[in-house]
Amino acid sequence: PVTASMASQPSLKGWQTWGGRHAFLCDGRVMVGPDWGVTCFAVALTTVLSVAFWIFVCPTLAGAPLVTSVGMLLYALTLTLLVATATADPGILPRAPYVDDAESLANASAERFVEVRGVTMPLKWCSTCRIWRPPRASHCTECNVCVERFDHHCPWTGQCVGLRNYRYFFGFVLSVCSLCAYTLVVSALSFLHALAAALTDATSGGD
């Protein structure tokens, strides 16, 4: 039966029952992992290197405005996908706090199976979250939550990578690789341009 005191208590939202080491902002609309400090460092490092590239490298080449614009576009895309990966729900599975110690201990030694596309797969019991994890789900020791289709915990994004943010993470990897490759190629061209100019000046001075 529902008592008056229970009825007067406000109902908890889903993210308030997740547990773990995440921090939630804007009434649960934004979440960050326990490594958010590393994420801030990654953003700062990317920003400093990109600004130095725009100021000192891009102006030395012909078509500097276009070269700089492409670099800025890749930088903005990289940071957007980094923030999206770091603040999105990776696929956290809700805990079952109502399961007592005795039931948890019994489930830990029990076996349960599920059929996926005609293949029988075993389910694993998580003693921390007190749930049967579906196939490909795993418990992240960094965030202390179970994540559906868990891939890995990325320290640079400070977040688990799983079912709901894998696309953001994949896009982030592609964009940051493109940004690094573009920066290296343009920097190499700038160096060759400066070297050629120095050789020309030396040849002209010798004559």
Coordinates of all heavy atoms in Angstrom, one line a residue, residues 9-99:
Q9 N 6.3 12.2 -1.5 CA 7.7 12.3 -2.0 C 7.7 12.5 -3.5 O 7.0 11.8 -4.3 CB 8.5 11.0 -1.7 CG 8.7 10.8 -0.2 CD 9.5 9.5 0.1 OE1 9.7 8.7 -0.8 NE2 9.8 9.4 1.4
P10 N 8.6 13.4 -4.0 CA 8.6 13.6 -5.5 C 9.2 12.4 -6.2 O 10.1 11.7 -5.7 CB 9.6 14.8 -5.6 CG 10.4 14.8 -4.3 CD 9.5 14.3 -3.3
S11 N 8.7 12.0 -7.4 CA 9.2 10.9 -8.1 C 10.5 11.3 -8.7 O 10.8 12.4 -9.2 CB 8.2 10.5 -9.2 OG 8.0 11.6 -10.1
L12 N 11.4 10.3 -8.7 CA 12.8 10.5 -9.3 C 12.8 10.3 -10.8 O 12.0 9.5 -11.3 CB 13.8 9.5 -8.6 CG 14.0 9.6 -7.1 CD1 14.9 8.6 -6.6 CD2 14.6 11.0 -6.8
K13 N 13.6 11.1 -11.5 CA 13.7 11.0 -12.9 C 14.7 9.8 -13.2 O 15.5 9.4 -12.3 CB 14.2 12.3 -13.5 CG 13.2 13.4 -13.3 CD 13.6 14.7 -14.0 CE 12.6 15.8 -13.9 NZ 13.0 17.0 -14.5
G14 N 14.7 9.4 -14.4 CA 15.6 8.3 -14.8 C 17.0 8.5 -14.4 O 17.7 7.6 -13.8
W15 N 17.6 9.6 -14.8 CA 19.0 9.9 -14.5 C 19.4 9.9 -13.1 O 20.5 9.7 -12.7 CB 19.4 11.2 -15.3 CG 18.7 12.4 -14.8 CD1 17.6 12.9 -15.3 CD2 19.1 13.3 -13.8 NE1 17.2 14.1 -14.6 CE2 18.2 14.3 -13.7 CE3 20.2 13.3 -12.9 CZ2 18.3 15.4 -12.8 CZ3 20.3 14.4 -12.0 CH2 19.3 15.4 -11.9
Q16 N 18.4 10.2 -12.2 CA 18.6 10.3 -10.8 C 18.8 8.9 -10.1 O 19.2 8.8 -9.0 CB 17.5 11.1 -10.1 CG 17.5 12.5 -10.5 CD 16.3 13.2 -9.9 OE1 15.2 12.7 -9.9 NE2 16.5 14.4 -9.3
T17 N 18.4 7.9 -10.9 CA 18.6 6.5 -10.4 C 19.7 5.7 -11.0 O 19.9 4.6 -10.7 CB 17.3 5.7 -10.6 OG1 17.1 5.6 -12.0 CG2 16.1 6.4 -10.0
W18 N 20.5 6.4 -11.8 CA 21.6 5.7 -12.5 C 22.7 5.4 -11.6 O 23.4 4.4 -11.8 CB 22.1 6.6 -13.7 CG 21.2 6.4 -14.9 CD1 20.2 5.5 -15.1 CD2 21.2 7.2 -16.1 NE1 19.6 5.7 -16.3 CE2 20.2 6.8 -17.0 CE3 21.9 8.3 -16.5 CZ2 19.9 7.3 -18.2 CZ3 21.7 8.9 -17.7 CH2 20.7 8.4 -18.6
G19 N 23.0 6.2 -10.6 CA 24.2 6.0 -9.8 C 25.5 6.3 -10.6 O 25.5 7.1 -11.6
G20 N 26.6 5.7 -10.2 CA 27.8 5.9 -10.9 C 28.5 7.2 -10.6 O 28.1 7.9 -9.6
R21 N 29.5 7.6 -11.4 CA 30.3 8.7 -11.1 C 30.1 9.9 -12.0 O 30.9 10.8 -12.1 CB 31.8 8.3 -11.1 CG 32.2 7.2 -10.1 CD 33.7 7.0 -10.0 NE 34.0 6.0 -9.1 CZ 34.3 4.7 -9.4 NH1 34.3 4.4 -10.7 NH2 34.6 3.8 -8.5
H22 N 29.0 9.9 -12.7 CA 28.7 11.0 -13.7 C 28.2 12.2 -12.9 O 27.6 12.1 -11.8 CB 27.7 10.6 -14.7 CG 28.2 9.6 -15.7 ND1 28.2 8.2 -15.5 CD2 28.7 9.8 -16.9 CE1 28.7 7.6 -16.5 NE2 29.0 8.5 -17.4
A23 N 28.4 13.4 -13.5 CA 27.8 14.6 -13.0 C 26.8 15.1 -14.0 O 27.0 15.0 -15.2 CB 28.9 15.7 -12.8
F24 N 25.6 15.5 -13.5 CA 24.5 15.9 -14.3 C 24.2 17.4 -14.2 O 24.2 18.0 -13.1 CB 23.2 15.1 -14.0 CG 23.4 13.6 -14.2 CD1 23.9 12.8 -13.2 CD2 23.1 13.1 -15.5 CE1 24.0 11.4 -13.5 CE2 23.2 11.7 -15.7 CZ 23.7 10.9 -14.7
L25 N 24.0 18.0 -15.3 CA 23.7 19.5 -15.4 C 22.4 19.7 -16.1 O 21.9 18.8 -16.9 CB 24.9 20.2 -16.1 CG 26.3 20.0 -15.5 CD1 27.3 20.6 -16.4 CD2 26.4 20.5 -14.1
C26 N 21.8 20.9 -15.9 CA 20.6 21.3 -16.6 C 19.5 20.3 -16.5 O 18.9 19.8 -17.5 CB 20.9 21.5 -18.1 SG 22.2 22.8 -18.4
D27 N 19.3 19.8 -15.2 CA 18.2 18.9 -14.9 C 18.3 17.6 -15.7 O 17.4 17.0 -16.2 CB 16.8 19.5 -15.2 CG 15.7 18.7 -14.5 OD1 16.0 18.1 -13.5 OD2 14.6 18.8 -15.1
G28 N 19.6 17.1 -15.8 CA 19.8 15.8 -16.4 C 20.0 15.9 -17.9 O 20.2 14.8 -18.5
R29 N 19.9 17.0 -18.5 CA 20.0 17.1 -20.0 C 21.4 17.0 -20.5 O 21.7 16.7 -21.6 CB 19.3 18.4 -20.5 CG 17.8 18.5 -20.3 CD 17.3 19.8 -20.8 NE 15.8 19.9 -20.6 CZ 15.2 20.3 -19.5 NH1 16.0 20.7 -18.4 NH2 13.9 20.4 -19.4
V30 N 22.3 17.4 -19.6 CA 23.8 17.3 -19.9 C 24.5 16.5 -18.8 O 24.2 16.7 -17.6 CB 24.4 18.7 -20.0 CG1 25.9 18.6 -20.3 CG2 23.7 19.5 -21.1
M31 N 25.3 15.5 -19.3 CA 26.0 14.7 -18.3 C 27.5 14.7 -18.7 O 27.9 14.8 -19.9 CB 25.5 13.3 -18.3 CG 25.6 12.6 -19.6 SD 24.8 10.9 -19.6 CE 25.8 10.1 -18.3
V32 N 28.4 14.6 -17.7 CA 29.8 14.5 -18.0 C 30.4 13.4 -17.1 O 29.9 13.1 -16.0 CB 30.6 15.8 -17.7 CG1 30.2 16.9 -18.6 CG2 30.3 16.3 -16.2
G33 N 31.4 12.8 -17.6 CA 32.0 11.6 -16.9 C 33.0 12.1 -15.9 O 33.2 13.3 -15.7
P34 N 33.6 11.1 -15.2 CA 34.5 11.5 -14.1 C 35.8 12.1 -14.6 O 36.5 12.7 -13.8 CB 34.8 10.1 -13.4 CG 34.5 9.1 -14.5 CD 33.4 9.7 -15.3
D35 N 36.1 11.9 -15.9 CA 37.4 12.4 -16.4 C 37.2 13.8 -17.1 O 37.9 14.1 -18.1 CB 38.0 11.4 -17.4 CG 38.4 10.1 -16.7 OD1 38.7 10.2 -15.5 OD2 38.3 9.1 -17.3
W36 N 36.2 14.6 -16.7 CA 35.9 15.8 -17.4 C 37.1 16.8 -17.4 O 37.2 17.6 -18.3 CB 34.7 16.5 -16.8 CG 34.8 16.9 -15.4 CD1 34.6 16.2 -14.3 CD2 35.4 18.2 -14.9 NE1 34.8 16.9 -13.1 CE2 35.3 18.1 -13.5 CE3 35.8 19.3 -15.5 CZ2 35.8 19.2 -12.7 CZ3 36.3 20.4 -14.7 CH2 36.2 20.3 -13.3
G37 N 38.0 16.7 -16.4 CA 39.2 17.6 -16.4 C 40.1 17.3 -17.6 O 40.7 18.2 -18.2
V38 N 40.2 16.0 -17.9 CA 41.1 15.6 -19.1 C 40.4 16.1 -20.4 O 41.1 16.5 -21.3 CB 41.3 14.1 -19.1 CG1 42.1 13.7 -20.3 CG2 41.9 13.6 -17.8
T39 N 39.1 16.1 -20.4 CA 38.4 16.6 -21.6 C 38.6 18.1 -21.7 O 38.9 18.6 -22.9 CB 36.9 16.4 -21.4 OG1 36.6 15.0 -21.2 CG2 36.2 16.8 -22.7
C40 N 38.6 18.8 -20.6 CA 38.9 20.3 -20.7 C 40.4 20.5 -21.2 O 40.6 21.4 -22.0 CB 38.7 20.9 -19.3 SG 37.0 21.0 -18.8
F41 N 41.3 19.7 -20.7 CA 42.7 19.8 -21.2 C 42.8 19.5 -22.7 O 43.5 20.2 -23.4 CB 43.6 18.8 -20.4 CG 45.0 18.7 -20.9 CD1 45.9 19.7 -20.7 CD2 45.4 17.6 -21.7 CE1 47.2 19.6 -21.1 CE2 46.6 17.5 -22.2 CZ 47.6 18.5 -21.9
A42 N 42.0 18.5 -23.2 CA 42.1 18.2 -24.6 C 41.5 19.4 -25.4 O 42.1 19.7 -26.5 CB 41.3 16.9 -24.9
V43 N 40.5 20.0 -24.9 CA 39.9 21.1 -25.6 C 40.9 22.3 -25.6 O 41.1 23.0 -26.7 CB 38.6 21.6 -25.0 CG1 38.1 22.9 -25.5 CG2 37.5 20.5 -25.2
A44 N 41.5 22.6 -24.5 CA 42.5 23.7 -24.4 C 43.7 23.4 -25.3 O 44.2 24.3 -26.0 CB 42.9 23.8 -23.0
L45 N 44.2 22.2 -25.3 CA 45.4 21.9 -26.1 C 45.0 22.0 -27.6 O 45.8 22.6 -28.4 CB 45.8 20.4 -25.8 CG 47.0 19.9 -26.6 CD1 48.3 20.7 -26.2 CD2 47.3 18.4 -26.3
T46 N 43.9 21.5 -28.0 CA 43.5 21.6 -29.4 C 43.3 23.0 -29.8 O 43.7 23.4 -30.9 CB 42.2 20.8 -29.7 OG1 42.3 19.5 -29.2 CG2 41.8 20.8 -31.1
T47 N 42.7 23.8 -28.9 CA 42.5 25.3 -29.2 C 43.8 26.0 -29.4 O 44.0 26.8 -30.3 CB 41.7 25.9 -28.1 OG1 40.4 25.2 -28.1 CG2 41.4 27.4 -28.4
V48 N 44.8 25.8 -28.5 CA 46.1 26.5 -28.5 C 46.8 26.2 -29.7 O 47.4 27.0 -30.4 CB 46.9 26.2 -27.2 CG1 48.3 26.7 -27.4 CG2 46.2 26.8 -26.0
L49 N 46.9 24.9 -30.1 CA 47.7 24.4 -31.3 C 47.0 25.0 -32.5 O 47.7 25.4 -33.5 CB 47.8 22.9 -31.3 CG 48.6 22.3 -30.2 CD1 48.6 20.8 -30.3 CD2 50.0 22.8 -30.2
S50 N 45.7 25.0 -32.6 CA 45.0 25.4 -33.8 C 45.1 26.9 -34.0 O 45.4 27.4 -35.1 CB 43.5 25.1 -33.7 OG 43.3 23.7 -33.6
V51 N 45.1 27.7 -32.9 CA 45.2 29.1 -33.0 C 46.7 29.5 -33.4 O 46.9 30.4 -34.3 CB 44.9 29.8 -31.6 CG1 45.3 31.3 -31.7 CG2 43.4 29.7 -31.3
A52 N 47.6 28.8 -32.9 CA 49.0 29.0 -33.3 C 49.2 28.6 -34.8 O 49.9 29.3 -35.5 CB 50.0 28.1 -32.5
F53 N 48.5 27.6 -35.3 CA 48.6 27.2 -36.7 C 48.0 28.3 -37.5 O 48.5 28.6 -38.6 CB 47.8 25.9 -36.8 CG 47.6 25.4 -38.2 CD1 48.7 25.0 -39.0 CD2 46.3 25.5 -38.8 CE1 48.5 24.6 -40.3 CE2 46.1 25.0 -40.1 CZ 47.2 24.6 -40.9
W54 N 46.8 28.9 -37.1 CA 46.2 29.9 -37.9 C 47.0 31.2 -38.0 O 47.1 31.8 -39.0 CB 44.8 30.2 -37.3 CG 43.9 29.1 -37.2 CD1 43.9 28.0 -38.0 CD2 42.8 28.9 -36.3 NE1 42.9 27.1 -37.6 CE2 42.2 27.7 -36.6 CE3 42.3 29.7 -35.2 CZ2 41.1 27.2 -35.8 CZ3 41.2 29.2 -34.5 CH2 40.7 28.0 -34.8
I55 N 47.7 31.5 -36.9 CA 48.4 32.8 -36.8 C 49.8 32.7 -37.5 O 50.2 33.6 -38.2 CB 48.6 33.2 -35.4 CG1 47.2 33.5 -34.7 CG2 49.5 34.4 -35.2 CD1 47.3 33.9 -33.3
F56 N 50.5 31.6 -37.3 CA 51.9 31.5 -37.7 C 52.2 30.7 -39.0 O 53.2 30.9 -39.6 CB 52.8 30.9 -36.6 CG 52.8 31.7 -35.3 CD1 52.1 31.3 -34.2 CD2 53.4 33.0 -35.2 CE1 52.1 32.1 -33.0 CE2 53.4 33.7 -34.1 CZ 52.7 33.3 -33.0
V57 N 51.3 29.8 -39.3 CA 51.5 29.0 -40.5 C 50.7 29.3 -41.7 O 51.2 29.5 -42.8 CB 51.3 27.5 -40.1 CG1 51.4 26.6 -41.3 CG2 52.2 27.0 -39.0
C58 N 49.4 29.5 -41.5 CA 48.5 29.7 -42.6 C 48.8 31.0 -43.4 O 48.8 31.0 -44.6 CB 47.1 29.8 -42.1 SG 46.4 28.2 -41.5
P59 N 49.2 32.1 -42.7 CA 49.5 33.4 -43.5 C 50.7 33.2 -44.4 O 50.9 34.1 -45.3 CB 49.8 34.4 -42.4 CG 49.0 33.9 -41.2 CD 49.2 32.4 -41.3
T60 N 51.6 32.2 -44.2 CA 52.8 32.1 -45.1 C 52.5 31.5 -46.4 O 53.4 31.4 -47.3 CB 53.8 31.2 -44.3 OG1 53.3 29.9 -44.2 CG2 54.2 31.8 -43.0
L61 N 51.3 31.0 -46.7 CA 51.0 30.3 -47.9 C 50.1 31.2 -48.8 O 49.3 32.0 -48.3 CB 50.4 29.0 -47.6 CG 51.2 27.9 -46.9 CD1 50.4 26.7 -46.6 CD2 52.4 27.6 -47.7
A62 N 50.1 30.9 -50.1 CA 49.1 31.6 -51.0 C 47.7 31.0 -50.7 O 47.6 29.9 -50.3 CB 49.5 31.3 -52.4
G63 N 46.8 31.9 -50.8 CA 45.4 31.5 -50.5 C 45.2 31.4 -49.0 O 44.5 30.5 -48.5
A64 N 45.9 32.2 -48.2 CA 45.8 32.1 -46.7 C 44.4 32.1 -46.2 O 44.1 31.3 -45.3 CB 46.7 33.2 -46.1
P65 N 43.5 33.0 -46.6 CA 42.1 33.0 -46.1 C 41.4 31.6 -46.2 O 40.8 31.1 -45.3 CB 41.4 34.1 -46.9 CG 42.5 35.0 -47.3 CD 43.7 34.1 -47.6
L66 N 41.6 31.0 -47.4 CA 41.0 29.7 -47.7 C 41.6 28.6 -46.8 O 40.9 27.8 -46.2 CB 41.1 29.3 -49.1 CG 40.5 28.0 -49.5 CD1 39.0 27.9 -49.2 CD2 40.8 27.7 -51.0
V67 N 42.9 28.6 -46.7 CA 43.7 27.6 -45.9 C 43.2 27.8 -44.4 O 43.0 26.8 -43.7 CB 45.2 27.8 -46.0 CG1 45.9 26.9 -45.1 CG2 45.6 27.6 -47.4
T68 N 43.1 29.0 -43.9 CA 42.7 29.2 -42.5 C 41.3 28.8 -42.3 O 40.9 28.2 -41.3 CB 42.9 30.7 -42.2 OG1 44.2 31.1 -42.4 CG2 42.6 30.9 -40.7
S69 N 40.4 29.1 -43.3 CA 39.0 28.8 -43.1 C 38.8 27.2 -43.0 O 38.0 26.8 -42.2 CB 38.2 29.3 -44.3 OG 38.3 30.7 -44.3
V70 N 39.5 26.5 -43.8 CA 39.4 25.0 -43.8 C 39.9 24.5 -42.4 O 39.2 23.6 -41.8 CB 40.2 24.4 -44.9 CG1 40.2 22.9 -44.8 CG2 39.6 24.8 -46.3
G71 N 41.0 25.1 -41.9 CA 41.4 24.7 -40.6 C 40.4 25.0 -39.5 O 40.2 24.2 -38.6
M72 N 39.8 26.2 -39.6 CA 38.8 26.5 -38.6 C 37.6 25.6 -38.7 O 37.0 25.3 -37.6 CB 38.4 28.0 -38.8 CG 39.4 29.0 -38.4 SD 38.8 30.7 -38.7 CE 40.2 31.6 -37.9
L73 N 37.2 25.2 -39.9 CA 36.0 24.4 -40.0 C 36.3 23.0 -39.4 O 35.5 22.4 -38.7 CB 35.7 24.2 -41.5 CG 34.5 23.3 -41.9 CD1 33.2 23.8 -41.3 CD2 34.4 23.2 -43.4
L74 N 37.5 22.4 -39.6 CA 37.9 21.2 -39.1 C 38.0 21.3 -37.5 O 37.6 20.3 -36.8 CB 39.2 20.7 -39.6 CG 39.2 20.2 -41.1 CD1 40.6 19.9 -41.6 CD2 38.2 19.0 -41.3
Y75 N 38.5 22.4 -37.1 CA 38.6 22.6 -35.6 C 37.2 22.6 -35.0 O 36.9 22.0 -34.0 CB 39.3 23.9 -35.3 CG 39.2 24.4 -33.9 CD1 39.9 23.9 -32.9 CD2 38.3 25.4 -33.6 CE1 39.8 24.4 -31.6 CE2 38.1 25.9 -32.3 CZ 38.9 25.4 -31.3 OH 38.8 25.8 -30.0
A76 N 36.3 23.4 -35.6 CA 34.9 23.5 -35.0 C 34.2 22.2 -35.1 O 33.5 21.8 -34.1 CB 34.1 24.5 -35.8
L77 N 34.4 21.4 -36.1 CA 33.8 20.1 -36.2 C 34.3 19.1 -35.2 O 33.5 18.4 -34.5 CB 34.0 19.5 -37.6 CG 33.4 18.1 -37.9 CD1 31.9 18.2 -37.8 CD2 33.8 17.7 -39.3
T78 N 35.6 19.2 -35.0 CA 36.2 18.3 -34.0 C 35.7 18.6 -32.6 O 35.4 17.7 -31.8 CB 37.8 18.5 -34.0 OG1 38.3 18.1 -35.3 CG2 38.4 17.7 -32.9
L79 N 35.7 19.9 -32.2 CA 35.2 20.3 -30.9 C 33.7 20.0 -30.7 O 33.3 19.5 -29.6 CB 35.5 21.7 -30.6 CG 36.7 22.0 -29.6 CD1 37.9 21.4 -30.2 CD2 36.8 23.4 -29.3
T80 N 32.9 20.2 -31.7 CA 31.5 19.9 -31.6 C 31.3 18.4 -31.4 O 30.5 18.0 -30.5 CB 30.8 20.3 -32.9 OG1 30.9 21.7 -33.2 CG2 29.3 19.9 -32.9
L81 N 32.0 17.5 -32.1 CA 31.8 16.1 -31.9 C 32.4 15.6 -30.6 O 31.9 14.7 -29.9 CB 32.4 15.3 -33.1 CG 31.7 15.5 -34.4 CD1 32.5 14.9 -35.5 CD2 30.3 14.8 -34.3
L82 N 33.5 16.3 -30.1 CA 34.1 16.0 -28.8 C 33.1 16.3 -27.7 O 32.9 15.4 -26.8 CB 35.4 16.7 -28.6 CG 36.0 16.7 -27.2 CD1 36.4 15.2 -26.9 CD2 37.2 17.6 -27.1
V83 N 32.5 17.4 -27.8 CA 31.5 17.8 -26.7 C 30.3 16.9 -26.8 O 29.7 16.5 -25.8 CB 31.1 19.3 -26.9 CG1 30.0 19.7 -26.0 CG2 32.3 20.2 -26.6
A84 N 29.8 16.6 -28.0 CA 28.7 15.7 -28.1 C 28.9 14.3 -27.5 O 28.1 13.8 -26.9 CB 28.3 15.6 -29.6
T85 N 30.1 13.8 -27.8 CA 30.5 12.5 -27.2 C 30.6 12.6 -25.7 O 30.1 11.6 -25.0 CB 31.8 12.0 -27.8 OG1 31.8 12.0 -29.2 CG2 32.2 10.6 -27.3
A86 N 31.2 13.6 -25.2 CA 31.4 13.8 -23.8 C 30.2 14.0 -22.9 O 30.2 13.7 -21.7 CB 32.5 14.9 -23.5
T87 N 29.1 14.6 -23.6 CA 27.9 15.0 -22.8 C 26.7 14.1 -23.1 O 25.7 14.3 -22.5 CB 27.6 16.4 -23.1 OG1 27.4 16.6 -24.5 CG2 28.7 17.4 -22.6
A88 N 26.9 13.2 -24.0 CA 25.7 12.3 -24.4 C 25.7 11.1 -23.5 O 26.7 10.6 -23.0 CB 25.8 11.9 -25.8
D89 N 24.5 10.5 -23.3 CA 24.3 9.3 -22.6 C 24.8 8.2 -23.5 O 24.4 7.9 -24.6 CB 22.8 9.1 -22.3 CG 22.5 7.7 -21.8 OD1 23.4 7.0 -21.3 OD2 21.3 7.2 -22.0
P90 N 25.8 7.4 -23.0 CA 26.4 6.3 -23.8 C 25.6 5.1 -23.9 O 25.9 4.2 -24.7 CB 27.7 6.0 -23.1 CG 27.5 6.4 -21.7 CD 26.5 7.6 -21.7
G91 N 24.5 5.1 -23.1 CA 23.6 3.9 -23.1 C 23.6 3.2 -21.7 O 23.7 2.0 -21.6
I92 N 23.6 4.1 -20.7 CA 23.6 3.6 -19.3 C 22.3 2.8 -19.0 O 21.2 3.2 -19.3 CB 23.7 4.7 -18.3 CG1 25.1 5.5 -18.6 CG2 23.7 4.3 -16.9 CD1 25.2 6.7 -17.7
L93 N 22.5 1.6 -18.4 CA 21.4 0.7 -18.0 C 21.0 1.1 -16.6 O 21.9 1.1 -15.7 CB 21.8 -0.7 -18.1 CG 22.1 -1.2 -19.5 CD1 22.8 -2.6 -19.5 CD2 20.9 -1.2 -20.3
P94 N 19.7 1.3 -16.3 CA 19.3 1.7 -15.0 C 19.6 0.6 -14.0 O 19.5 -0.6 -14.3 CB 17.8 1.9 -15.1 CG 17.6 2.2 -16.6 CD 18.6 1.4 -17.3
R95 N 19.9 1.0 -12.7 CA 20.2 0.0 -11.7 C 18.9 -0.5 -11.1 O 17.8 0.1 -11.4 CB 21.0 0.7 -10.6 CG 22.4 1.1 -11.0 CD 23.3 1.5 -9.8 NE 24.6 1.8 -10.3 CZ 25.7 2.0 -9.5 NH1 25.5 1.8 -8.2 NH2 26.9 2.3 -10.0
A96 N 19.0 -1.5 -10.3 CA 17.8 -2.1 -9.6 C 18.0 -2.1 -8.1 O 18.4 -3.1 -7.6 CB 17.5 -3.5 -10.1
P97 N 17.9 -0.9 -7.5 CA 18.2 -0.8 -6.1 C 17.3 -1.7 -5.2 O 17.7 -1.9 -4.0 CB 18.1 0.7 -5.8 CG 17.1 1.2 -6.8 CD 17.4 0.3 -8.1
Y98 N 16.2 -2.1 -5.7 CA 15.2 -2.8 -4.9 C 15.7 -4.3 -4.7 O 15.1 -5.0 -3.8 CB 13.9 -2.8 -5.5 CG 13.8 -3.3 -6.9 CD1 13.8 -4.6 -7.3 CD2 13.9 -2.4 -8.0 CE1 13.8 -5.1 -8.6 CE2 13.9 -2.8 -9.3 CZ 13.9 -4.1 -9.6 OH 13.9 -4.5 -10.9
V99 N 16.7 -4.8 -5.4 CA 17.2 -6.1 -5.2 C 18.0 -6.2 -4.0 O 19.0 -5.4 -3.9 CB 18.0 -6.5 -6.5 CG1 18.6 -7.9 -6.3 CG2 17.1 -6.5 -7.7

